[in-house]
Amino acid sequence: MTYYESTGHLLLTPVDREAPARAVRLRELGLGDRPDRELDLFARRVADTVAAPYAGVNFAGGERQFFAGLYHAADAPASGYPARELPRDHGYCPYVVVRRRALVLEDVRDFARFAGNAVVDGSGVRSYLGAPLTDRRGIVLGTVCAVDTVPRRWGAEGLATVKELAAELVALLHEREDGRG
């Protein structure tokens, strides 16, 4: 367990035992270390689909996470969020990666485990919707996610949508790998 010094809140950043295998796989796929125009467009589609001001395609590394795909609406609040690269203990994507399941947080402040995260006070994040990107080898590469600065009722529909988008993106990544994309 870690305490985030600036807020004094408990921050549980899960242990990521798959990080070494993921790092190798991301290198094989050429992902996770530079912006990707196609993934930026996919992030925009995610934001448009769920009507969120921010969305991303995030690849989790050992000590950092990298948004190879990133979108923020022109009218989104000027909070400095999102950034292409974040420490591993910022945000909620690392939690999705380790637990290997989608995560819906309608109001992050409702959960002690998540309320003290640096993106809450520092960037104004109030709600999160994310699903893992699990490749054909069973490795979770990262996430597809959407974020808002106000509490959101994502509901079962939002959960189903983000899972569908994640599956679609994994298929696209496999096409790239197979030389068809």
Side-chain angles (χ1 to χ4, degrees):
M1 281 192 267
T2 305
Y3 281 92
Y4 193 69
E5 287 184 32
S6 68
T7 63
H9 294 288
L10 177 65
L11 175 65
L12 294 176
T13 305
V15 175
D16 186 357
R17 299 189 197 300
E18 292 184 353
R22 181 178 315 102
V24 169
R25 184 71 172 128
L26 288 172
R27 276 194 302 276
E28 288 174 5
L29 296 170
L31 297 170
D33 61 354
R34 66 186 176 280
D36 183 308
R37 175 84 174 125
E38 189 174 18
L39 298 182
D40 282 343
L41 292 172
F42 195 88
R44 180 182 186 138
R45 189 162 150 246
V46 171
D48 290 344
T49 301
V50 300
Y54 306 106
V57 176
N58 182 1
F59 298 110
E63 295 302 317
R64 72 177 184 106
Q65 47 188 317
F66 186 81
F67 288 87
L70 190 60
Y71 174 77
H72 68 280
D75 61 347
S79 64
Y81 184 85
R84 284 277 178 191
E85 186 173 330
L86 290 174
R88 187 173 171 274
D89 62 352
H90 284 52
Y92 310 104
C93 291
Y95 192 81
V96 171
V97 168
V98 170
R99 72 185 227 144
R100 307 177 63 87
R101 291 190 358 230
L103 178 64
V104 177
L105 298 171
E106 294 181 344
D107 187 340
V108 298
R109 292 183 179 182
D110 288 344
F111 302 90
R113 170 178 288 181
F114 301 118
N117 196 288
V119 298
V120 175
D121 294 330
S123 302
V125 171
R126 287 295 299 275
S127 59
Y128 172 89
L129 176 67
L133 299 170
T134 307
D135 78 349
R136 61 175 58 124
R137 296 182 187 174
I139 297 172
V140 178
L141 304 172
T143 65
V144 168
C145 65
V147 172
D148 207 332
T149 56
V150 296
R152 290 279 303 266
R153 294 194 53 81
W154 303 105
E157 183 179 337
L159 177 61
T161 299
V162 77
K163 286 179 174 182
E164 289 169 13
L165 289 164
E168 185 179 324
L169 183 53
V170 167
L172 173 75
L173 296 176
H174 288 160
E175 286 178 11
R176 280 185 177 187
E177 181 180 25
D178 296 342
R180 296 178 299 195

